[in-house]
Amino acid sequence: MTLDPVHFEGITRLAGRIRQDVDASDHRAFAQQVWEEWLDPLRADGDVLLEPLDEHRRRMMPVDEAALQPDRFETRHGLDSGTINPTTFKNGVVLDVAQAAMSAVPSDLDLHRGRTTVMTVHTNDAMADLNGDWTMFDEGYTRGRVLHAPRVDRYETAVVHDLALFLAESSHALDNADIVSDLLVMDGPVYPKGLLNWANREPELRDLLAEDERPRDVIENYIRLVERFAERDVPLCGFVKTPITRAITRTVRDQRGNAPWVNDAAFFSQVLERRERVAGEDGPEYDRVTDALTFTSWFVSRGGADHAMSTLGDAFGIDRRLPPEAYEVTFCVLYDPRTDVVYRLEAPAAFTADEDQREAILMQALKGVAVERGPPMAVAKADGLAQIGRAETDALRGALERAFDTEADTTYDDERWGLLD
């Protein structure tokens, strides 16, 4: 499939028509208005969905200054989990395999070798019982188990993926919690938002979350993780590389009738981007200023997937040993103009209630972004350790086909484009 020059020109001409109807300067001005007037606090149906944790403001730090500042935490550990993505076999089995790993800065090779592996299996065979205990392999460096996923009529792939990913991640974190002495940075949110979002999806997933202990057991792992770190007075946070929250965008759209941003990250990019006026061929233009990182103050979030762990929710009835407000998600947003990327830094309120500690967490993240021109080193290393590459995924799927004496159930698109990893 190719685009001939005439097709390319026609498409760009269509884009030009769109540009005439979409005024980016109006969007930027509206974003500034929302920032100044809507977020202190953001309300919906009488509930406070978002409010500043401290002073409501934007800040900036020159890139060089951010990179050269001292580490706020002597050691940093990262945590991530990766999967092969759900695979359906011709014998009716749907499964996903996840592995979780923890990184350390400075490096700890024994820790890096450790893994937690989970295979989550969905089958329509009512007689099957595939749940198993944890077993050890790789000379004791890795432990793994099989989890029999709850039976569903639809969404099998979502169920096996989310359960495998978050059970592996939370189990590995709990198993290695005492190794972390200064700071744990999770690659992604601090709670399993894939699972928490079941409550806002189709009735079958919502009912499953309310009635089945298996997804609630995984969520409970994250609650216990927060408690374990709070008891030891060691902070944990989450570094979200691709934030897709929509609490602000959705609320503004519902109340104003229009919100031109795809999600909250797009909103924050317009709030945090600095621009300067320059002379262009057709008149004045605006260039992005790239000499400083910009970032927001901290907010408490109670909307969307964050609702369940907030004081507005009940954590699905799971027992909580700390005051409910300690589990609330707090966050700030970082913007790197060099790459035009928005990151979300979040942590349970138990670790950000203290002003000095939340500032230390923020400054450590800023230094990491400034130095790495991307996620901090602890996060990048954890991502590399946990990631299951395409070659390994293909080999593992082949081994599973032989173990099951069946084949993966492929479609025409799989043959045309290759199985997605």
Coordinates of all heavy atoms in Angstrom, one line a residue, residues 47-88:
D47 N -19.0 17.3 44.3 CA -17.8 16.7 44.8 C -16.6 17.5 44.3 O -16.5 18.0 43.2 CB -17.7 15.2 44.4 CG -18.8 14.4 45.0 OD1 -19.2 14.7 46.1 OD2 -19.2 13.4 44.3
V48 N -15.5 17.5 45.2 CA -14.3 18.1 44.8 C -13.4 17.0 44.1 O -12.9 16.1 44.8 CB -13.5 18.7 46.0 CG1 -12.1 19.2 45.6 CG2 -14.3 19.8 46.6
L49 N -13.3 17.0 42.8 CA -12.5 16.0 42.1 C -11.0 16.3 42.1 O -10.2 15.3 42.0 CB -13.0 15.9 40.6 CG -14.5 15.5 40.4 CD1 -14.8 15.4 39.0 CD2 -14.9 14.3 41.2
L50 N -10.7 17.5 42.2 CA -9.2 17.9 42.1 C -9.1 19.2 42.9 O -9.9 20.1 42.7 CB -8.8 18.0 40.7 CG -7.3 18.3 40.4 CD1 -6.9 17.6 39.1 CD2 -7.0 19.8 40.3
E51 N -8.0 19.3 43.7 CA -7.7 20.5 44.4 C -6.3 20.6 44.7 O -5.6 19.6 44.9 CB -8.5 20.6 45.7 CG -8.2 19.5 46.7 CD -9.0 19.7 48.0 OE1 -9.4 20.8 48.3 OE2 -9.3 18.7 48.7
P52 N -5.7 21.8 44.8 CA -4.3 22.0 45.1 C -3.9 21.4 46.5 O -4.7 21.6 47.4 CB -4.1 23.5 45.0 CG -5.2 24.0 44.2 CD -6.4 23.1 44.5
L53 N -2.8 20.7 46.5 CA -2.3 20.3 47.8 C -1.6 21.4 48.6 O -1.5 21.4 49.8 CB -1.4 19.1 47.6 CG -0.8 18.4 48.8 CD1 -1.9 17.8 49.7 CD2 0.2 17.3 48.4
D54 N -1.0 22.3 47.8 CA -0.3 23.4 48.4 C -0.7 24.6 47.5 O -1.8 24.7 46.9 CB 1.2 23.2 48.5 CG 1.8 22.7 47.1 OD1 1.1 22.8 46.1 OD2 3.0 22.3 47.2
E55 N 0.2 25.6 47.3 CA -0.1 26.8 46.5 C -0.3 26.4 45.1 O 0.4 25.6 44.5 CB 1.1 27.8 46.6 CG 0.8 29.1 45.9 CD 2.0 30.0 46.0 OE1 3.0 29.7 46.7 OE2 2.0 31.1 45.4
H56 N -1.4 26.9 44.5 CA -1.7 26.6 43.1 C -0.9 27.5 42.2 O -1.1 28.7 42.0 CB -3.2 26.9 42.9 CG -3.7 26.8 41.5 ND1 -3.3 25.7 40.7 CD2 -4.4 27.6 40.7 CE1 -3.9 25.8 39.5 NE2 -4.5 27.0 39.4
R57 N 0.2 26.9 41.6 CA 1.1 27.7 40.8 C 1.8 26.8 39.7 O 1.8 25.6 39.8 CB 2.1 28.4 41.6 CG 2.9 27.5 42.5 CD 4.0 28.2 43.3 NE 4.7 27.3 44.2 CZ 6.0 27.5 44.6 NH1 6.6 28.6 44.2 NH2 6.5 26.7 45.4
R58 N 2.5 27.5 38.8 CA 3.4 26.9 37.9 C 4.8 27.3 38.2 O 5.0 28.4 38.7 CB 3.1 27.3 36.4 CG 1.8 26.7 35.9 CD 1.4 27.3 34.6 NE 1.0 28.7 34.7 CZ 0.5 29.5 33.7 NH1 0.4 28.9 32.5 NH2 0.1 30.7 33.9
R59 N 5.8 26.4 38.0 CA 7.1 26.7 38.3 C 8.0 26.3 37.1 O 7.6 25.6 36.2 CB 7.6 25.9 39.5 CG 6.7 26.2 40.7 CD 7.0 25.2 41.9 NE 8.3 25.2 42.4 CZ 8.8 24.3 43.2 NH1 8.0 23.3 43.7 NH2 10.1 24.4 43.6
M60 N 9.3 26.7 37.1 CA 10.2 26.4 36.1 C 11.6 26.3 36.7 O 11.9 26.9 37.7 CB 10.2 27.4 35.0 CG 10.5 28.8 35.4 SD 10.5 29.9 34.0 CE 12.0 29.5 33.1
M61 N 12.5 25.5 36.1 CA 13.9 25.3 36.5 C 14.7 25.1 35.2 O 14.4 24.2 34.4 CB 14.0 24.1 37.4 CG 15.5 23.9 37.9 SD 15.6 22.5 39.1 CE 15.0 23.3 40.5
P62 N 15.8 25.9 35.1 CA 16.6 25.7 33.9 C 17.1 24.3 33.8 O 17.4 23.7 34.9 CB 17.8 26.7 34.2 CG 17.2 27.8 35.0 CD 16.2 27.1 35.9
V63 N 17.2 23.8 32.6 CA 17.6 22.4 32.4 C 19.0 22.1 33.1 O 19.1 21.1 33.8 CB 17.6 22.0 30.9 CG1 18.2 20.6 30.7 CG2 16.2 22.1 30.3
D64 N 19.9 22.9 32.9 CA 21.3 22.7 33.5 C 21.2 22.7 35.0 O 21.9 21.9 35.6 CB 22.2 23.8 33.0 CG 22.6 23.7 31.5 OD1 22.2 22.6 30.9 OD2 23.1 24.6 31.0
E65 N 20.4 23.6 35.6 CA 20.3 23.7 37.0 C 19.7 22.4 37.6 O 20.1 21.8 38.6 CB 19.5 24.9 37.4 CG 19.4 25.0 38.9 CD 18.6 26.3 39.3 OE1 18.6 27.3 38.5 OE2 17.9 26.3 40.3
A66 N 18.6 21.9 36.9 CA 17.9 20.7 37.3 C 18.9 19.5 37.2 O 18.9 18.6 38.1 CB 16.7 20.4 36.4
A67 N 19.7 19.4 36.2 CA 20.6 18.3 36.0 C 21.7 18.3 37.0 O 22.2 17.2 37.4 CB 21.2 18.3 34.5
L68 N 22.2 19.4 37.4 CA 23.4 19.5 38.3 C 23.0 19.5 39.8 O 23.9 19.5 40.6 CB 24.2 20.8 37.9 CG 24.8 20.8 36.5 CD1 25.5 22.1 36.2 CD2 25.8 19.6 36.4
Q69 N 21.7 19.6 40.1 CA 21.4 19.6 41.5 C 21.7 18.3 42.2 O 21.8 17.2 41.5 CB 19.9 19.9 41.7 CG 19.0 18.8 41.1 CD 17.5 19.2 41.4 OE1 17.1 19.6 42.4 NE2 16.7 18.9 40.4
P70 N 22.0 18.3 43.5 CA 22.3 17.0 44.2 C 21.1 16.1 44.2 O 19.9 16.5 44.2 CB 22.7 17.5 45.6 CG 22.0 18.8 45.8 CD 21.9 19.4 44.4
D71 N 21.4 14.8 44.3 CA 20.4 13.8 44.5 C 19.7 14.0 45.9 O 20.4 14.2 46.9 CB 20.9 12.4 44.4 CG 21.3 12.0 43.0 OD1 20.5 12.2 42.1 OD2 22.4 11.4 42.8
R72 N 18.4 13.9 45.9 CA 17.7 14.0 47.2 C 17.6 12.7 47.9 O 17.4 12.7 49.1 CB 16.3 14.6 46.9 CG 16.2 16.0 46.3 CD 17.1 17.0 47.0 NE 16.6 18.4 46.8 CZ 17.0 19.2 45.8 NH1 17.9 18.7 44.9 NH2 16.6 20.4 45.7
F73 N 17.8 11.6 47.2 CA 17.8 10.3 47.7 C 19.0 9.5 47.3 O 19.3 9.5 46.1 CB 16.5 9.5 47.3 CG 15.2 10.2 47.7 CD1 14.6 11.1 46.8 CD2 14.6 10.0 48.9 CE1 13.4 11.8 47.1 CE2 13.5 10.6 49.3 CZ 12.9 11.5 48.4
E74 N 19.7 9.0 48.3 CA 21.0 8.4 48.0 C 20.9 7.2 47.0 O 21.7 7.0 46.1 CB 21.7 7.9 49.3 CG 23.1 7.3 49.1 CD 23.7 6.9 50.4 OE1 23.2 7.3 51.5 OE2 24.8 6.3 50.4
T75 N 19.9 6.4 47.2 CA 19.6 5.3 46.3 C 18.1 5.4 45.8 O 17.3 5.9 46.5 CB 19.7 3.9 47.0 OG1 18.8 3.8 48.1 CG2 21.1 3.7 47.5
R76 N 17.9 5.0 44.6 CA 16.6 5.0 44.0 C 16.3 3.6 43.4 O 17.2 3.1 42.7 CB 16.5 6.0 42.9 CG 16.4 7.5 43.4 CD 17.7 8.1 43.6 NE 18.5 8.2 42.4 CZ 19.8 8.3 42.4 NH1 20.5 8.4 43.6 NH2 20.5 8.4 41.3
H77 N 15.2 3.1 43.6 CA 14.8 1.8 43.1 C 13.6 2.0 42.1 O 12.7 2.9 42.4 CB 14.4 0.8 44.1 CG 15.5 0.3 44.9 ND1 16.2 1.0 45.9 CD2 16.2 -0.9 44.9 CE1 17.2 0.3 46.4 NE2 17.2 -0.8 45.8
G78 N 13.6 1.3 41.0 CA 12.5 1.4 40.1 C 11.8 0.0 40.0 O 12.3 -1.0 40.3
L79 N 10.5 0.1 39.6 CA 9.7 -1.2 39.5 C 8.8 -1.1 38.2 O 8.2 -0.1 37.9 CB 8.8 -1.3 40.7 CG 7.8 -2.5 40.7 CD1 8.6 -3.7 41.0 CD2 6.7 -2.3 41.8
D80 N 8.8 -2.2 37.5 CA 8.0 -2.3 36.3 C 7.6 -3.7 36.0 O 8.2 -4.7 36.5 CB 8.7 -1.7 35.1 CG 7.8 -1.5 33.9 OD1 6.6 -1.3 34.1 OD2 8.3 -1.4 32.7
S81 N 6.5 -3.9 35.2 CA 6.0 -5.2 34.8 C 5.7 -5.1 33.3 O 5.2 -4.1 32.8 CB 4.8 -5.6 35.6 OG 4.3 -6.8 35.2
G82 N 6.1 -6.2 32.6 CA 5.8 -6.3 31.2 C 5.1 -7.6 30.8 O 5.3 -8.6 31.6
T83 N 4.4 -7.6 29.7 CA 3.7 -8.9 29.3 C 3.9 -9.2 27.8 O 4.4 -8.3 27.1 CB 2.1 -8.8 29.5 OG1 1.6 -8.0 28.4 CG2 1.8 -8.1 30.8
I84 N 3.5 -10.4 27.5 CA 3.6 -10.8 26.0 C 2.4 -10.3 25.3 O 2.3 -10.4 24.1 CB 3.8 -12.3 25.9 CG1 2.5 -13.0 26.3 CG2 5.0 -12.8 26.6 CD1 2.5 -14.5 26.0
N85 N 1.4 -9.8 26.0 CA 0.1 -9.4 25.6 C -0.8 -10.6 25.3 O -0.3 -11.7 25.0 CB 0.1 -8.5 24.3 CG 0.5 -7.1 24.6 OD1 0.3 -6.6 25.7 ND2 1.0 -6.4 23.6
P86 N -2.1 -10.5 25.5 CA -3.0 -11.7 25.5 C -2.9 -12.4 24.2 O -2.9 -11.9 23.1 CB -4.4 -11.0 25.7 CG -4.1 -9.8 26.4 CD -2.8 -9.2 25.9
T87 N -2.9 -13.8 24.4 CA -2.9 -14.7 23.2 C -4.0 -15.7 23.3 O -4.2 -16.3 24.4 CB -1.5 -15.4 23.2 OG1 -0.4 -14.5 23.1 CG2 -1.5 -16.3 21.9
T88 N -4.7 -15.8 22.2 CA -5.9 -16.8 22.2 C -5.4 -18.0 21.4 O -4.8 -17.9 20.3 CB -7.1 -16.2 21.5 OG1 -7.5 -15.0 22.2 CG2 -8.2 -17.2 21.5

